[in-house]
């Protein structure tokens, strides 16, 4: 009695498994077709775009492309296109030269376009007390000048920079060892 029913159950399971595998193959084919269609849909006028001293791929959306520029954060990358009146979902390769210049101007002078001060990366500058937003080479130069000032006045942070040690209070027992093995060696008897 049990033998015949067992064979029937096994045959049903095999049929279900075959159907499931066929469905899986169909879904994979559909996914591949959808990916190919998406790749075809992305049409870009320019392959590479130069914005704020940075070369960016033209197929990236504006908000993602701005993240490639040194000194532009996630929040600012979303705020810049809105302040410039550009759709943040637009591909950066499809923008005109005037729009790219406008984006660069907004990135360099965000306060002029109504972007709030808390999104800037240089608030209350120690030299003149004004707030700025620095990007690309300006940011690199300013950070180097700040570090040199710390070294010159011989403050704790400046000395740590000179010695190549961690500046922000991290432990140094097991990390920041350059070229040495970590651990304790036994004395030879």
């Amino acid at each position: 009695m049990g033998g015949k029913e067992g064979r029937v159950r096994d045959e049903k399971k095999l049929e279900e498994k075959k159907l499931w595998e066929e469905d899986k193959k169909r879904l994979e084919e559909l996914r591949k077709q959808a990916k190919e269609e998406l790749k075809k849909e992305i049409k870009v006028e320019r392959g590479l775009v130069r914005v704020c001293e940075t070369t960016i791929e033209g197929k990236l959306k504006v908000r993602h492309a701005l993240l490639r520029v040194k000194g532009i954060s996630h929040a600012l990358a979303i705020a810049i296109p809105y302040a410039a009146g550009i759709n943040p979902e637009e591909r950066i390769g499809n923008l005109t030269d005037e729009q790219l210049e406008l984006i660069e101007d907004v990135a360099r002078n965000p306060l002029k376009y109504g972007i709030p001060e808390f999104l800037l990366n240089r608030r209350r500058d120690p030299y003149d007390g004004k707030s700025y937003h620095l990007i690309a080479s300006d940011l690199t130069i300013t950070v180097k000048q700040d570090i040199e000032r710390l070294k010159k006045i011989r403050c704790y942070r400046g000395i740590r920079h000179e010695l190549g040690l961690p500046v922000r209070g991290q432990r140094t027992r097991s990390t920041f060892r350059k070229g040495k093995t970590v651990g304790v060696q036994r004395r030879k008897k």
Side-chain angles (χ1 to χ4, degrees):
M1 273 171 52
K4 203 172 191 183
E5 290 176 9
R7 273 187 263 142
V8 171
R9 271 191 243 129
D10 290 343
E11 289 174 5
K12 285 183 180 178
K13 285 182 182 178
L14 282 173
E15 288 176 25
E16 287 176 4
K17 191 173 180 180
K18 287 179 184 176
L19 289 172
W20 185 75
E21 288 175 0
E22 289 174 8
D23 288 341
K24 191 175 177 182
K25 287 179 183 176
R26 274 191 240 126
L27 279 173
E28 287 178 24
E29 290 175 17
L30 289 172
R31 284 184 186 138
K32 286 180 184 176
Q33 289 175 356
K35 282 183 182 179
E36 289 173 9
E37 288 176 13
L38 281 174
K39 287 179 183 176
K40 290 177 185 175
E41 285 179 15
I42 298 174
K43 293 182 181 177
V44 181
E45 291 178 18
R46 293 184 240 179
L48 294 174
V49 179
R50 188 92 173 149
V51 178
C52 302
E53 304 171 21
T54 307
T55 305
I56 302 170
E57 292 179 47
K59 66 180 180 180
L60 292 175
K61 294 179 181 178
V62 173
R63 62 190 172 101
H64 294 297
L66 288 174
L67 287 174
R68 302 286 171 100
V69 178
K70 185 174 183 177
I72 295 182
S73 64
H74 289 276
L76 195 61
I78 293 170
I80 288 173
Y82 284 116
I86 296 168
N87 180 10
E89 298 296 317
E90 181 72 31
R91 305 284 171 183
I92 199 152
N94 294 335
L95 298 179
T96 62
D97 290 333
E98 293 81 27
Q99 288 174 323
L100 292 173
E101 287 174 15
L102 181 61
I103 285 176
E104 190 164 344
D105 190 44
V106 173
R108 292 191 186 280
N109 308 310
L111 291 176
K112 191 169 95 175
Y113 292 91
I115 292 176
E117 188 174 331
F118 64 83
L119 290 177
L120 306 184
N121 61 6
R122 185 87 174 165
R123 295 186 296 273
R124 296 183 298 279
D125 185 56
Y127 298 109
D128 60 3
K130 295 179 182 177
S131 295
Y132 302 106
H133 189 77
L134 304 172
I135 53 174
S137 61
D138 296 336
L139 180 61
T140 307
I141 291 167
T142 306
V143 169
K144 282 183 183 177
Q145 287 175 347
D146 289 344
I147 292 171
E148 289 302 316
R149 183 178 59 86
L150 292 173
K151 289 178 184 178
K152 186 177 176 185
I153 64 174
R154 304 293 294 163
C155 71
Y156 179 80
R157 286 174 55 203
I159 293 168
R160 301 294 281 186
H161 272 294
E162 281 179 359
L163 297 174
L165 293 169
V167 177
R168 298 187 176 184
Q170 296 96 327
R171 292 170 181 254
T172 57
R173 180 176 179 177
S174 60
T175 55
F176 304 102
R177 294 191 181 193
K178 295 175 182 157
K180 298 177 188 172
T181 55
V182 177
V184 180
Q185 293 180 346
R186 289 186 179 177
R187 288 187 185 177
K188 294 181 181 177
K189 293 182 183 178

